[in-house]
C-alpha cells in the first residue's frame, strides 16, 4: 500500500485524441510538470483529426514527452508512486498507445497502474486546481462530449443530460468549417464572434423549453449552413463575423436553458447545497460561454468554477490527478485492463434518443 502521507509523484499520460501529453503531479496537488504536444498542424490539412495520423504521432512523441516531464519535475521513474494513463473513451489507437506505455512503466517499476476515464480527468480537474469538495454540478463541454453530471465522488456520477447528436466543440468545429474559419474551430469561431453582432441572424435554439437536460446542436450548425447558402457568393467578412457571433449566442442560450433544468434536478437532491457549478472540457475556454454562465450562476445563487484554459483542454495533469484520487482510495487497475473507445461516466444513465448519440 502506498504511503500517501509522504510526498508522492504520479505520472499521467493522455493520448485519446490529438494531444500527446505527460505530466507529473504530487499527491497534494502540485503540478510539477505538464507537457502537452498538440498535433493540430498534422491534422490541419484534413480539417479534422485523422485517427491513424494521431496514433502514429502519439507513438513517435510520447517517450520523449515523458522524459521531458520527468526532467521538469526533477524526478525519475524510481520516484513515481504510480502511473495513470487514459484508457478511454477516445480514438482507440491513441488510447492503446498511452495505456500500453503506462502499463509498461508500471510493470518495469513494479508500481500501481491506474487506467483513467478521460472524462473523469475533466470532471475532477477542479479538485486539483481549487480543492472543491463533492458534490457539485458539472457541465462537461468538449470536442467529443456535451454532458451535465452530478459529481458525487470519485467514480460516482449521475448523468442528467447528454447530446443527442453533435457535441458542443464539434458544433464549433463544424461551424468554423462552414464559415471558412479553419481548424481547430472553437477558438476561431470565438475570435470571429468577438467582431460580430450576435443578434443579426435569428438561429434556432435546439430543444429550448423542452423537458429534460439533453442537448442537440446539429440543427444549429445546419441553420448556419443555410444562411451561408442564402447569402451566396457575396458573403462579406462582416457577415461571417455576425454568423459566428449569432451561432455562439444560440449555442450559449441552448446550454443555459438545459442548465436551468439541471440546476432544479440538482437542488431536488441537494437543497442545501453545496451550490457549485463546474465547467470543464475544451469549450470551457470560451469567454462568451463563461460570461453567460457567470450571469446564470448569479441568478441561481451558484458559484461558477472554471479551471484555467490550459487545464480545460486535454492535458496529462488531469489524468495524473485522477491517479492521485484513485490511488488514495485503493482504486488501482490490473495490467489486463482493456482500452475502451466508449466509456460512459454513468453506465446506468438511460439512453438518450437521437441519431448520433454520444455516451
Ligand atoms: O477537451 P478538448 O481539448 O478535447 C476533447 O476531449 O474533445 O476539447 C476540444 C474542443 C474542440 O472542439 C475545440 O474546438 C473546442 O474544444 N474549443 C473551443 C475553444 N477552445 C477549444 N470551443 C469554443 N471556444 C473556445 N475558445
Ligand atoms: Zn477532453
Amino acid at each position: 500500500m502506498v504511503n500517501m502521507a509522504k510526498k508522492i509523484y504520479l505520472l499521467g499520460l493522455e493520448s485519446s485524441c490529438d494531444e500527446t501529453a505527460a505530466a507529473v503531479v504530487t499527491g497534494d496537488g502540485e503540478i510539477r510538470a505538464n507537457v502537452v504536444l498538440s498535433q493540430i498542424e498534422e491534422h490541419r490539412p484534413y480539417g479534422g483529426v485523422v485517427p491513424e495520423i494521431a496514433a502514429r504521432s502519439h507513438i513517435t512523441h510520447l517517450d520523449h514527452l515523458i522524459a521531458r516531464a520527468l526532467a521538469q519535475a526533477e524526478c525519475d521513474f524510481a520516484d513515481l508512486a504510480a502511473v495513470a494513463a487514459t484508457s478511454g473513451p477516445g480514438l482507440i489507437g491513441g488510447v492503446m498507445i498511452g495505456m500500453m506505455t503506462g502499463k509498461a512503466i508500471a510493470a518495469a517499476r513494479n508500481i500501481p497502474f491506474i487506467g483513467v476515464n478521460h472524462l473523469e480527468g475533466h470532471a475532477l480537474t477542479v479538485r486539483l486546481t481549487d480543492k472543491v469538495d463533492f458534490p457539485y454540478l458539472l457541465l462537461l463541454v468538449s470536442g467529443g462530449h456535451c454532458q451535465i453530471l452530478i459529481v458525487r465522488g470519485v467514480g460516482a456520477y449521475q448523468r442528467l443530460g447528454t447530446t443527442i447528436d453533435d457535441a458542443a466543440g464539434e458544433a464549433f468545429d463544424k461551424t468554423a468549417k462552414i464559415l471558412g474559419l479553419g481548424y481547430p474551430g472553437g477558438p476561431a469561431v470565438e475570435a470571429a464572434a468577438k467582431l460580430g453582432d450576435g443578434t443579426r441572424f435569428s438561429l434556432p435554439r435546439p430543444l429550448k423549453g423542452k423537458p429534460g437536460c439533453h442537448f442537440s446542436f446539429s440543427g444549429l450548425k445546419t441553420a448556419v449552413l443555410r444562411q451561408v447558402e442564402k447569402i451566396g457568393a457575396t458573403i462579406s467578412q462582416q457577415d461571417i463575423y455576425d454568423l459566428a457571433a449569432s451561432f455562439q449566442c444560440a449555442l450559449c442560450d441552448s446550454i443555459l436553458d438545459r442548465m436551468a433544468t439541471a440546476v432544479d434536478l440538482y437542488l431536488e437532491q441537494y437543497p442545501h447545497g453545496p451550490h457549485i457549478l463546474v465547467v470543464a472540457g475544451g469549450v470551457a475556454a470560451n469567454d462568451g460561454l463563461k460570461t453567460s454562465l457567470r450571469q446564470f450562476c448569479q441568478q441561481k445563487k451558484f458559484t461558477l468554477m472554471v479551471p484555467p484554459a490550459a487545464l480545460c483542454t486535454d492535458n496529462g495533469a488531469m489524468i495524473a490527478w485522477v491517479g492521485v484520487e484513485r490511488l488514495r482510495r485503493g482504486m488501482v487497475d490490473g495490467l489486463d485492463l482493456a482500452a475502451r473507445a466508449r466509456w460512459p461516466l454513468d453506465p446506468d444513465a438511460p439512453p438518450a434518443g437521437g441519431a448520433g448519440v454520444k455516451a
Side-chain angles (χ1 to χ4, degrees):
M1 190 72 182
V2 176
N3 176 4
M4 297 296 290
K6 89 177 211 293
K7 193 141 184 118
I8 60 155
Y9 294 85
L10 259 284
L11 176 67
L13 308 178
E14 160 58 34
S15 58
S16 65
C17 192
D18 59 343
E19 265 98 19
T20 318
V24 177
V25 170
T26 66
D28 52 6
E30 186 193 344
I31 301 176
R32 296 292 302 244
N34 190 22
V35 188
V36 182
L37 182 70
S38 165
Q39 301 175 356
I40 282 174
E41 291 313 321
E42 289 169 79
H43 299 290
R44 197 189 295 281
Y46 308 94
V49 180
V50 183
E52 289 77 10
I53 293 177
R56 214 170 302 146
S57 186
H58 289 306
I59 214 164
T60 308
H61 297 294
L62 190 54
D63 278 3
H64 70 81
L65 287 185
I66 293 170
R68 212 195 304 163
L70 291 173
Q72 273 182 23
E74 294 176 346
C75 71
D76 199 347
F77 285 118
D79 299 313
L80 297 176
V83 51
T86 298
S87 299
L91 300 173
I92 198 71
V95 170
M96 283 172 70
I97 287 156
M99 193 187 73
M100 293 310 292
T101 306
K103 285 181 179 176
I105 296 168
R109 298 303 319 174
N110 195 24
I111 53 175
F113 168 75
I114 298 145
V116 173
N117 183 317
H118 176 89
L119 303 175
E120 185 159 57
H122 285 303
L124 301 186
T125 298
V126 75
R127 286 170 54 79
L128 165 66
T129 55
D130 296 271
K131 311 268 178 265
V132 174
D133 284 333
F134 298 120
Y136 49 87
L137 188 59
L138 171 72
L139 170 65
L140 174 51
V141 271
S142 70
H145 297 271
C146 188
Q147 302 189 6
I148 308 173
L149 299 133
I150 297 178
V151 182
R152 298 192 208 287
V154 175
Y157 300 89
Q158 182 187 352
R159 195 194 74 190
L160 300 178
T162 186
T163 180
I164 59 169
D165 41 55
D166 292 347
E170 197 177 353
F172 269 100
D173 294 335
K174 288 178 174 172
T175 298
K177 215 170 190 173
I178 292 166
L179 296 177
L181 292 170
Y183 167 85
V189 171
E190 175 167 24
K194 283 190 174 143
L195 304 169
D197 172 5
T199 62
R200 179 168 156 209
F201 295 98
S202 149
L203 297 174
R205 271 65 173 158
L207 296 180
K208 189 167 178 177
K210 297 266 164 45
C213 309
H214 290 324
F215 297 95
S216 166
F217 296 117
S218 117
L220 174 56
K221 159 213 72 192
T222 307
V224 174
L225 177 64
R226 294 286 167 266
Q227 278 296 342
V228 170
E229 286 169 353
K230 200 165 144 196
I231 299 169
T234 60
I235 193 160
S236 70
Q237 201 57 47
Q238 195 57 48
D239 292 334
I240 289 170
Y241 295 155
D242 292 344
L243 271 166
S246 300
F247 161 81
Q248 194 172 285
C249 280
L251 182 130
C252 290
D253 252 24
S254 306
I255 289 181
L256 291 199
D257 178 73
R258 313 283 74 206
M259 285 310 303
T261 313
V263 162
D264 289 345
L265 291 172
Y266 177 85
L267 289 176
E268 275 174 23
Q269 294 186 37
Y270 300 102
H272 307 297
H275 300 140
I276 292 174
L277 170 61
V278 173
V279 190
V283 184
N286 187 280
D287 284 334
L289 179 61
K290 275 189 278 196
T291 305
S292 304
L293 285 168
R294 210 167 286 129
Q295 285 165 1
F296 172 83
C297 281
Q298 256 167 15
Q299 283 167 12
K300 300 284 178 191
K301 301 199 169 24
F302 266 60
T303 304
L304 179 68
M305 312 215 61
V306 190
L311 294 174
C312 279
T313 47
D314 290 349
N315 65 87
M318 69 180 191
I319 305 304
W321 177 249
V322 174
V324 169
E325 297 256 34
R326 288 190 161 255
L327 187 66
R328 203 179 267 162
R329 291 164 176 82
M331 299 160 89
V332 300
D333 295 293
L335 295 183
D336 56 349
L337 184 79
R340 297 174 65 175
R342 287 197 164 229
W343 186 359
L345 277 179
D346 175 4
D348 299 327
V357 179
K358 305 285 192 298

